Every structure is written in C-alpha cells, then in structure tokens.
Amino acid sequence: MTDDFEDHCWKDVIPPETLEVYSCYRRKTFIGPNPALLAIDLYEVVYRGGALEPHLLAKTHPNSCGRYAHEAIEPTRQLFAAGRAAGLRIFYSTGDTRDASKPNFVTATKRVRPPVDPSDYAIRPEFKPQPGDVVITKQRASVFYGTPLLAHLTQLGIQTLIVCGESTSGCVRATAVDAYSNGFHVVLVEECCFDRSPLSHKVNLFDMHHKYTDVMHLSDVVTHLKTVQPAVRKAG
Amino acid sequence: MTDDFEDHCWKDVIPPETLEVYSCYRRKTFIGPNPALLAIDLYEVVYRGGALEPHLLAKTHPNSCGRYAHEAIEPTRQLFAAGRAAGLRIFYSTGDTRDASKPNFVTATKRVRPPVDPSDYAIRPEFKPQPGDVVITKQRASVFYGTPLLAHLTQLGIQTLIVCGESTSGCVRATAVDAYSNGFHVVLVEECCFDRSPLSHKVNLFDMHHKYTDVMHLSDVVTHLKTVQPAVRKAG
Amino acid sequence: MTDDFEDHCWKDVIPPETLEVYSCYRRKTFIGPNPALLAIDLYEVVYRGGALEPHLLAKTHPNSCGRYAHEAIEPTRQLFAAGRAAGLRIFYSTGDTRDASKPNFVTATKRVRPPVDPSDYAIRPEFKPQPGDVVITKQRASVFYGTPLLAHLTQLGIQTLIVCGESTSGCVRATAVDAYSNGFHVVLVEECCFDRSPLSHKVNLFDMHHKYTDVMHLSDVVTHLKTVQPAVRKAG
Amino acid sequence: MTDDFEDHCWKDVIPPETLEVYSCYRRKTFIGPNPALLAIDLYEVVYRGGALEPHLLAKTHPNSCGRYAHEAIEPTRQLFAAGRAAGLRIFYSTGDTRDASKPNFVTATKRVRPPVDPSDYAIRPEFKPQPGDVVITKQRASVFYGTPLLAHLTQLGIQTLIVCGESTSGCVRATAVDAYSNGFHVVLVEECCFDRSPLSHKVNLFDMHHKYTDVMHLSDVVTHLKTVQPAVRKAG
C-alpha cells in the first residue's frame, strides 16, 4: 500500500523472508482522532552515567539506557513542543515509590532487585510536567495496569495515544499492547522510544508495527500535530 | 438450610414476600481458604463531628457517618485484633490525594465536590497500619479499580477477603462486587461495616448477602479466626 | 439546584433525614456526549410465569421478575425506538451458556444453582438484536467484567451509556458502577430498570443517583434523544 | 547464579554486550506453587499448509506458522501428557468467532483482515480439550483481556501458569506480561512456543525471560511436574 511501511530502524535486522511473511500487514499509517501524548518512564535513573554504551554502565547504573536515552532527548523535546502547541493532554508515567504501597517481600521471580531511591523516579527536567498534566505512578510495566489511566482517557474522550519513552521492549511495549487491546489507536514515535538493547528495540518496534500500532517518524508526527484540534470533553 | 441465614440487621426492613423470593439463596455461610483482611476507607473524615446522627452533621461534615462510624470502632478493633493474632495479611484503602494524579477538572456528573484536605484521608489511629501492612490509594469506589490490589492478592495466594469499613452502600459494595467477580470468597463483617443511611446499609447488606458475599456476625468471624492458619506464599 | 432531583420512585421509602444527608449531591442531570444504549439481561428467564408478583413465582421461576419485568416492556420499547431513531449504537448483555467456558464445579459461595438452559438466555423478542448490534456474553454481574465491552466503547468513541434492564440491584448496579469507574457518564432510565424486590429497586436507584449516575425519567431521555447526533468514529 | 540462565534459543542472536547489560537479572528459574497449564491459540489455522517455511505459505496461509507449528507438536504433546498426569487444570484459548460479539466495522489500524472461518479456530486434535478443561474465547492478543480467565484462576487458587502455544511475539507475550502483572509466576516452555518469525521468537523469549517470566526447557518442566500436587480449591 505504501513503500514507506518498512522504512524504519529494523531494516538491518529483519530478514527478507520475515518481511514476506508480514507483507499482508501493509497499510497506511495515521494519527487517529482525539489524540493525547503519553510519555513513559522518562525518569532520571535511565539517564544516569551519561551518554555511554549501556554495557559500560551495567555495573554502576544497571537501569541506565546510556547513549540511547541521551540521543532521544532532543527528538522528545520536539515531540513535547509539538504536542503542547496542539493543546494535547499530556500523561506521564513513573514508578510508584510510596511506602506501604505493596507487600514488601513479594516478587514474581527470584530476581534480586536493588533498593529504590525516590529521586531515581523524578521526571527528567527537559520534560518537566506542567500544571494540568497528569503523572501516573505504577508498579508494573504497563501504564494501564493497576492505575486509573483508562478512566481519565475515557472521561476526556481520548481515542488515540501518541507514545514515547522507554524501554521499547519493556514498559513501552506493555503499555502499547494494553492501549491497543483497550481500543485506542496507538502511534509510537520511533526516534522518541529507546532501550538498553538495540536488537530488542528494533524487533519490538517491528512486532508492534505489524500487530498493534503505527510506528511513525517524528517528522511525520510533528507535521500532523500542526493540524490537530485538541480533544475536549463537552459538558453535555 | 439454616435458620440463621436471615438473622441480620435487615430483618426490620425486608418484607416477607421478598424473603420468599430470595429463599432459594439460603446456604451455609463460611470463611474460605487463605483469608486476608481488607479495611475500606477507615479515614478521619468519616468520623468528623463525633457520634451524632449523620443528618445533624450534613452541613458541617457532609462525608461523616457520625454515630454509625463511632459505633463501629470497638467491633472493628476486635476484628483487627483477631486478624493480627491469626497472622492475616492486612490491606487498607484510602483516597488518592496526590497532586497531578488526575485531570483536575473532569468529573462524571455535575455534582460539586469540596476541595480535598490530605489529613482527611489519614487512617483513624485505632486502626493504624503496621509495618508490612499495605495501604492502597484509590480514586474510585472499588479498591480494585485502578489499583494493583489484585496483583498483590494473587502473589500472596489470597482466596478469601474479610471486609470491613465504609460506606456499606458505596466503597464496601463496589469492592465486594469486584472481589466476587474476580473469584474471591468475600465475608462482610456486619458490625464492622457502616453507612450514613441506615436503610441503604441494611438493603445493601441484604443484596450482597444473597448475590455475592457471606454477611457474618463479628462473633462468628472472630471464633473462626482462632482456627485459621495464615496464607503464606511458598517459594516453590 | 433543581426541585426534581429527588422526584423518583424512591420517594416513599427514603426518610427525610437521609435526604438531608444527601442534599449536597443535588445537581442538574443530563445526557453526556457520544451516547450508546446498553440493555442489560433482557432475556427470557426473567419474564417467565407472566406478570405476577415475583414471590408467587419463587417456586416455579425463581429468576423471574414477574410483573416488574412485564411492566417495563412498553417503556423499554419506547426507549429502543428513540435510541434507534437517533442512530445510537446498541449493546446487549446476556448470560454465557457456552460449554467449557468455565471450570464446572467452582462457585464463590455454597449457594445451589439450577442447571442452565440456553433458551433462558435468548433476548426477549420485543427487543431483538438487529444487524450491527453487539451482544456481550458474560459470567458475572457487570457487563464490563471479563468481556471486551470497554474496548468496543473506546473504539467507537462512546462517552455516555444510557442503561436499561435488570436487575436494578444486581447486573444493572454492578455495570453502572463499573461504567462510572471507567469514566463514562451513566444515565439510568428509571421506568426501564426492574427488579424482583421493589425495595431493593428503589434503594439501589437512590444509591446510584447520588453516587455514580443520573437516574432520569423515560420521557426526559426520549425528548433528549431527538436532539442527539450519533457517535461515529472518524477514520483519521 | 547459574550458568544455564542464558542457555536458550536466543544464544545465536543476542550480542555479548547485551548479555552484559542483562547480567543483573540472573537468577534460578523455578515452577511456582499451584500451577495450571495454559495453552495459547493451538488452533487449526496456524498449522495450515504443512511443515513448510512460513514465507512459502504467506500467500495461501498468511496466519500459518508452518514448520515451527509442526515442530512444536511433539514437545507440546509431552507437556500435555505431563500436565494431565500431574492433575493440572488445563486452560486453552482460541479466537472468538461468535456472531454479534463485536462491532463489525471497527478496527484499530487500517490493516485489512480476511473473513473468519470458525473451523480455523478449532483446537488441533492432538491437544483436544477434555471434559473439565476450560476453553477461553478472546478478541485480543492476551488471554486475560476481555475474558473471565483471572476469576477462574483465583477461584481455583492457581498461582503459577505454565504456558505454551503461539505466537511467541503475539498472544504468548501479551498473555505472559498480563499474567506477570497480575501476580502469577509464569513459566514459558521454550520448545512448546512458536512463531512465524525465528528472530521475533528468540528476542521475545529473551525479553520475557529477563523481565517477566522463567523460560524453561521442556525436559526440566516435565521432570518438575512429576513432583507436583494439583491445586484444588478446598471447600472451606
């Protein structure tokens, strides 16, 4: 339907046989009606240690996305600027660090986790929430799980989510799948999603683009947002 | 099946024809396996103004349950004591008063709501949470809606919820229905649930007893808890 | 705000002290944007035995609402006619009678249930689903629990649910509370909701009107629907 | 913690730098308490066209997993045999093909979908459901979304899900993430999960193993199941 459908960052890792298998998914991507911006886990801990390769930070900052986090800062600023100019509602997520919010010794696997420092989960200053923005705290990967996000979106008449943040293979994917399941049109902004693993980043974007979402380039999203009218719930 | 099935506070308001309609629901009540205690919205604002009739407090403390809140304090202390002695996990709920946790002008009806004072939502000192207890903050009536409660219960292997708190016709009912829907056995402790409206209290307990839950007297619950082994998730 | 706010079927059972407690909930009722019609459990079994008092049917047809079901037929026909004329999307619910849809011996209480006959759960002919209507099958009281209803509503941009059906104190209430929690504006059409117990019917409508929904008279809903434009999801 | 932690099918595609980044996730895998078997989408359409490479079937059978589906038959038979011998509850999922189960023209992206043939969604005879097994029909990728699965698991006291089926990068992943979010311990049986794309299969198993689940070999799961006592809900 369009030659651009596979013109994305996964081009160098997906073999031609797989593209052939997925050829029936080709379609025109778009931004649906009544969009909001959803910024996933843009908190301090993923920027720690600076713009290095993540494996060089694995010992000191095991949750840092290093250079991938830092390279996404400028595109993400542009996305926020375009979203705010279009009057979009902006939702953030971050970790729930509140005392007593969960049973303290229970985990689903035997993985050992480091103690939590609340400052790790402050939103990066470049994307500081403004009055009227909503910040969802969560305990799981998906911003929908165990949170009232869905209720807010319904009340506001939101039907489309423009998604950025990290990690592509973790919270972004879990959230995007839930958003799709719940009936939203989901747009993932390629240059504004990031991950510690380039291969997981690419394969997850490929998976989501074919199954659940429209992966779009920042430039196309910004161009579109110049034409958008914000979703406002009418008072009936 | 048992003559005690309808021996509850609703006796003076439910007409005999309705009891006849519901006679097919008679069964033996019980406390199921792996119980936890769930204390709903035992926060300061519902005790405000003292042990008066609620309508005398309507102007000054519109959310107070007055005498009904105060009369439930002593039975609820006994329930907590029995639950802690049996080693039960204890979950509380209270209101989410965090800034930025929701879009600030959106409501589902045109009802005018007063501004929120965080101290209103502190748990009453008689039932103060202890280390290891979990306090769920919520934005809706049901403690399950928009919260991770269900995940915690599953991880802990909880199958039964012993419920107390307020209001019977509001957050208790919404939570009990959700707990039932999610597959839990639910026990409502009659003397430890309260409401601003005696009629709503009685009719809601009647409805829930026949459709979703086992309404039991405090004395029967306390007696049972002396025999309970706490639910502990085994490490596999 | 309006003198009509308490002019409903509960007038003869709610004492003045309780109306005083709830006076702060007074507001103007309305039908919100992008409405759909949700018809709950209008299936054959609740009409069985004819228009008798339910307690006279308790032995032969324990799930029948008798005269209350039959008295609601004509108003519900009018509601459907008005909804279809306005181009509203129509959703129905009924019981899930599919083999293998649940573990066969598991129940939450010890209540004994009769075997299921699929014809019991056919929608009453007066309200027969038309092509394009959606029929949700469910296992629990709320039409939202364990069903994809929410996804459909989001995809269609629905923000308001106009609700009719039965029972007021069972599936209607469970559904209305879930709809409210999920961010919808909910209108309950008084004359089109019914129950086996008149007291439960009245008290549940009272509870919901003050806490979660706008209970409106059929005539007001029909008048409003003449002005409604149907919700259609734009293709972006 | 164990040298076997990365001894899985992804070894040939994950670069050493990424393994270094994820080294902090190393832990001992295990099968948790009260397990059930969950078999995802083992329906006819994914076996169509025989044991060929999927790209050779893309035109005639675009949903077939070809050789990957057929290679998983024998290991999956062994898994079912071990699960039944251990008395595990068995849950299946398949597509919801019921008329009127959804609004017929609504989709989240502009992808063109072929018409549905109900026989496509019959469970493959090798794994035919037995009396007492539960078959969940679903409209979305995750078996949890829009279904009552969670309620059944809670009622039965299930805390662990042993998962097989397809596709690894689609319904298996969406389900595994939801199961993890809901508090279950999840075991993915490597040889019994399959996908049309080998790269997506490997990367998704890698992602899930590190973030949400324990990916285990069939032989280890079968050995373990010989020691398992079935989860039975006690009657209280």
Side-chain angles (χ1 to χ4, degrees):
Chain A
M1 200 170 291
T2 162
D3 293 306
D4 302 332
F5 190 69
E6 301 289 351
D7 187 18
H8 287 284
C9 62
W10 54 76
K11 282 190 296 188
D12 64 342
V13 300
I14 306 296
E17 293 80 8
T18 297
L19 291 178
E20 196 176 339
V21 167
Y22 281 98
S23 61
C24 61
Y25 289 80
R26 289 194 177 217
R27 62 190 187 270
K28 190 158 167 42
T29 60
F30 69 106
I31 293 178
N34 298 323
L37 181 59
L38 177 57
I40 298 176
D41 292 4
L42 296 177
Y43 43 58
E44 289 288 355
V45 75
V46 299
Y47 300 89
R48 291 271 159 77
L52 300 180
E53 294 291 336
H55 73 275
L56 301 178
L57 300 165
K59 290 279 188 301
T60 50
H61 302 288
N63 288 312
S64 180
C65 294
R67 60 170 276 214
Y68 301 109
H70 287 267
E71 288 171 6
I73 289 177
E74 181 50 29
T76 305
R77 288 171 85 147
Q78 294 177 28
L79 178 64
F80 268 80
R84 292 203 186 275
L88 262 57
R89 282 281 181 168
I90 302 189
F91 291 82
Y92 297 79
S93 68
T94 191
D96 177 358
T97 60
R98 187 172 57 83
D99 279 351
S101 71
K102 65 186 123 177
N104 51 10
F105 65 82
V106 181
T107 56
T109 65
K110 295 188 172 180
R111 175 180 159 204
V112 177
R113 290 166 187 269
V116 168
D117 176 349
S119 72
D120 287 352
Y121 293 99
I123 303 294
R124 181 82 178 175
E126 288 88 342
F127 317 117
K128 194 177 189 302
Q130 304 297 315
D133 295 344
V134 177
V135 182
I136 304 286
T137 57
K138 66 187 176 70
Q139 297 186 4
R140 298 294 182 168
S142 168
V143 189
F144 287 91
Y145 190 84
T147 81
L149 174 62
L150 193 53
H152 302 327
L153 299 177
T154 300
Q155 278 191 318
L156 294 163
I158 304 298
Q159 292 182 279
T160 298
L161 290 171
I162 300 173
V163 174
C164 65
E166 61 83 31
S167 70
T168 313
S169 69
C171 299
V172 170
R173 175 152 180 169
T175 300
V177 173
D178 273 359
Y180 165 83
S181 293
N182 278 296
F184 294 92
H185 179 67
V186 183
V187 172
L188 297 175
V189 188
E190 181 174 323
E191 294 83 356
C192 304
C193 293
F194 55 100
D195 200 287
R196 286 172 293 180
S197 159
L199 180 63
S200 282
H201 174 72
K202 292 171 183 178
V203 172
N204 276 277
L205 286 181
F206 174 83
D207 289 344
M208 289 190 276
H209 188 58
H210 291 82
K211 296 171 194 282
Y212 311 118
T213 74
D214 285 346
V215 175
M216 294 177 69
H217 290 289
L218 173 63
S219 56
D220 293 335
V221 174
V222 168
T223 299
H224 177 86
L225 285 178
K226 289 177 182 158
T227 72
V228 162
Q229 297 302 315
V232 177
R233 185 193 171 97
K234 285 144 280 177
Chain B
M1 200 171 289
T2 161
D3 292 307
D4 302 332
F5 190 68
E6 302 289 351
D7 186 19
H8 288 283
C9 62
W10 55 76
K11 280 190 299 186
D12 62 344
V13 298
I14 306 295
E17 293 80 7
T18 298
L19 291 178
E20 195 176 340
V21 167
Y22 281 98
S23 61
C24 61
Y25 290 79
R26 289 195 176 218
R27 61 191 187 270
K28 190 161 168 38
T29 60
F30 69 106
I31 294 177
N34 297 324
L37 181 58
L38 176 57
I40 297 176
D41 292 3
L42 296 176
Y43 43 59
E44 290 287 356
V45 76
V46 300
Y47 299 90
R48 290 270 159 80
L52 300 180
E53 293 292 334
H55 72 276
L56 301 177
L57 300 165
K59 291 279 187 302
T60 50
H61 301 288
N63 290 310
S64 180
C65 295
R67 62 170 273 213
Y68 302 108
H70 287 268
E71 287 171 5
I73 289 177
E74 181 50 30
T76 306
R77 288 172 84 148
Q78 294 177 29
L79 178 63
F80 269 80
R84 293 202 185 277
L88 262 56
R89 282 280 183 168
I90 301 188
F91 291 81
Y92 297 78
S93 68
T94 190
D96 177 358
T97 60
R98 188 173 55 83
D99 279 351
S101 72
K102 64 186 123 176
N104 50 11
F105 68 82
V106 181
T107 57
T109 65
K110 296 188 173 180
R111 176 180 157 205
V112 177
R113 289 165 188 271
V116 168
D117 175 348
S119 73
D120 287 351
Y121 294 99
I123 303 294
R124 181 83 179 176
E126 287 88 342
F127 317 117
K128 195 177 189 300
Q130 303 298 315
D133 295 343
V134 177
V135 182
I136 304 285
T137 57
K138 66 187 174 72
Q139 297 185 2
R140 299 293 183 170
S142 168
V143 189
F144 287 91
Y145 190 84
T147 80
L149 174 62
L150 193 53
H152 302 326
L153 299 177
T154 301
Q155 277 192 319
L156 294 163
I158 305 298
Q159 293 182 280
T160 298
L161 290 171
I162 300 172
V163 174
C164 66
E166 61 81 31
S167 69
T168 314
S169 69
C171 298
V172 170
R173 176 151 179 172
T175 300
V177 173
D178 273 0
Y180 165 82
S181 292
N182 277 296
F184 295 91
H185 179 68
V186 182
V187 172
L188 297 175
V189 188
E190 181 174 323
E191 294 82 356
C192 304
C193 294
F194 55 101
D195 201 286
R196 286 172 291 180
S197 158
L199 181 63
S200 282
H201 174 73
K202 292 173 183 177
V203 172
N204 276 277
L205 285 181
F206 174 82
D207 288 344
M208 290 189 277
H209 188 57
H210 291 82
K211 296 171 193 283
Y212 312 118
T213 74
D214 284 347
V215 175
M216 294 178 68
H217 290 289
L218 173 64
S219 56
D220 293 335
V221 174
V222 168
T223 299
H224 178 86
L225 286 177
K226 290 179 180 156
T227 71
V228 162
Q229 296 303 313
V232 177
R233 184 190 171 99
K234 286 144 277 175
Chain C
M1 202 171 290
T2 162
D3 292 307
D4 302 333
F5 190 69
E6 302 289 352
D7 186 17
H8 289 283
C9 62
W10 55 76
K11 280 190 299 187
D12 63 342
V13 299
I14 306 296
E17 293 80 7
T18 297
L19 291 178
E20 195 176 342
V21 166
Y22 280 98
S23 60
C24 60
Y25 290 79
R26 289 195 177 216
R27 61 189 188 270
K28 190 160 169 37
T29 61
F30 69 106
I31 294 177
N34 298 323
L37 182 58
L38 177 57
I40 299 175
D41 292 4
L42 296 177
Y43 43 59
E44 289 288 358
V45 76
V46 300
Y47 300 89
R48 290 271 160 76
L52 299 181
E53 293 291 335
H55 72 276
L56 301 177
L57 300 165
K59 290 280 188 302
T60 51
H61 302 288
N63 289 311
S64 179
C65 295
R67 61 170 276 215
Y68 301 108
H70 287 267
E71 287 171 5
I73 289 178
E74 181 50 30
T76 305
R77 288 172 84 149
Q78 294 177 29
L79 178 64
F80 269 80
R84 292 204 186 277
L88 261 58
R89 284 280 184 166
I90 301 189
F91 291 82
Y92 297 80
S93 67
T94 191
D96 177 358
T97 60
R98 187 172 57 84
D99 278 352
S101 72
K102 64 187 124 177
N104 50 11
F105 66 81
V106 180
T107 56
T109 66
K110 294 188 173 180
R111 175 180 158 204
V112 177
R113 289 166 188 270
V116 168
D117 175 348
S119 74
D120 287 351
Y121 293 99
I123 303 294
R124 180 83 179 175
E126 288 88 342
F127 318 115
K128 194 177 190 299
Q130 304 298 315
D133 294 344
V134 177
V135 182
I136 304 286
T137 57
K138 64 187 176 73
Q139 297 184 3
R140 298 295 182 168
S142 168
V143 189
F144 287 91
Y145 190 83
T147 81
L149 175 61
L150 193 53
H152 302 327
L153 298 177
T154 301
Q155 278 192 319
L156 293 162
I158 304 298
Q159 292 183 280
T160 298
L161 289 171
I162 300 172
V163 174
C164 66
E166 62 83 31
S167 69
T168 313
S169 69
C171 298
V172 170
R173 176 154 180 167
T175 300
V177 173
D178 273 1
Y180 164 82
S181 292
N182 278 296
F184 294 93
H185 180 67
V186 183
V187 172
L188 297 175
V189 189
E190 181 174 323
E191 294 82 356
C192 303
C193 293
F194 54 101
D195 201 286
R196 286 173 290 181
S197 159
L199 180 63
S200 281
H201 174 73
K202 292 172 183 179
V203 171
N204 276 276
L205 286 181
F206 174 83
D207 288 344
M208 289 190 276
H209 188 57
H210 290 81
K211 296 171 193 283
Y212 311 119
T213 74
D214 284 346
V215 176
M216 293 176 69
H217 291 289
L218 174 64
S219 57
D220 292 335
V221 174
V222 168
T223 299
H224 178 87
L225 286 177
K226 289 177 182 159
T227 72
V228 163
Q229 297 302 315
V232 177
R233 185 192 170 97
K234 285 143 281 176
Chain D
M1 202 170 289
T2 163
D3 292 307
D4 301 332
F5 190 69
E6 302 288 350
D7 186 17
H8 289 283
C9 62
W10 55 74
K11 280 190 300 186
D12 63 343
V13 300
I14 306 296
E17 293 80 6
T18 297
L19 291 177
E20 196 176 340
V21 166
Y22 281 97
S23 60
C24 60
Y25 289 78
R26 290 196 175 215
R27 62 191 186 269
K28 190 159 168 37
T29 61
F30 68 107
I31 294 177
N34 298 323
L37 181 57
L38 176 57
I40 298 175
D41 292 3
L42 296 177
Y43 44 59
E44 288 288 356
V45 75
V46 301
Y47 300 89
R48 291 271 159 77
L52 300 180
E53 293 291 335
H55 73 277
L56 301 177
L57 300 165
K59 291 280 187 299
T60 50
H61 302 289
N63 289 311
S64 180
C65 294
R67 62 171 274 215
Y68 301 109
H70 287 267
E71 288 171 6
I73 289 176
E74 182 50 31
T76 305
R77 288 173 84 148
Q78 293 177 29
L79 178 64
F80 269 80
R84 292 202 187 278
L88 261 57
R89 283 280 184 169
I90 302 189
F91 290 82
Y92 297 79
S93 67
T94 190
D96 177 357
T97 61
R98 189 172 55 83
D99 278 350
S101 73
K102 64 187 123 177
N104 51 11
F105 66 82
V106 181
T107 57
T109 65
K110 296 188 173 180
R111 176 180 158 205
V112 178
R113 288 165 188 270
V116 167
D117 176 348
S119 74
D120 287 352
Y121 293 99
I123 302 294
R124 181 85 180 173
E126 288 88 342
F127 318 116
K128 194 177 189 303
Q130 304 298 314
D133 294 344
V134 177
V135 182
I136 304 285
T137 57
K138 66 186 175 76
Q139 298 185 3
R140 299 294 182 168
S142 168
V143 189
F144 287 91
Y145 190 84
T147 81
L149 174 61
L150 193 53
H152 302 326
L153 299 177
T154 300
Q155 276 191 320
L156 294 163
I158 304 298
Q159 292 182 279
T160 298
L161 291 170
I162 300 173
V163 174
C164 66
E166 62 82 30
S167 69
T168 313
S169 69
C171 298
V172 170
R173 176 152 178 169
T175 300
V177 173
D178 273 0
Y180 164 82
S181 292
N182 278 297
F184 295 92
H185 180 67
V186 183
V187 172
L188 297 174
V189 188
E190 181 174 324
E191 294 81 357
C192 303
C193 293
F194 55 100
D195 199 288
R196 287 172 291 180
S197 159
L199 181 62
S200 282
H201 174 73
K202 292 171 183 177
V203 172
N204 276 276
L205 285 181
F206 174 83
D207 288 344
M208 289 189 277
H209 188 57
H210 291 82
K211 295 172 194 284
Y212 312 118
T213 75
D214 283 347
V215 176
M216 294 177 68
H217 291 288
L218 174 64
S219 57
D220 293 335
V221 174
V222 168
T223 300
H224 178 86
L225 286 177
K226 290 177 181 157
T227 72
V228 162
Q229 297 303 313
V232 177
R233 185 193 170 98
K234 286 143 278 173

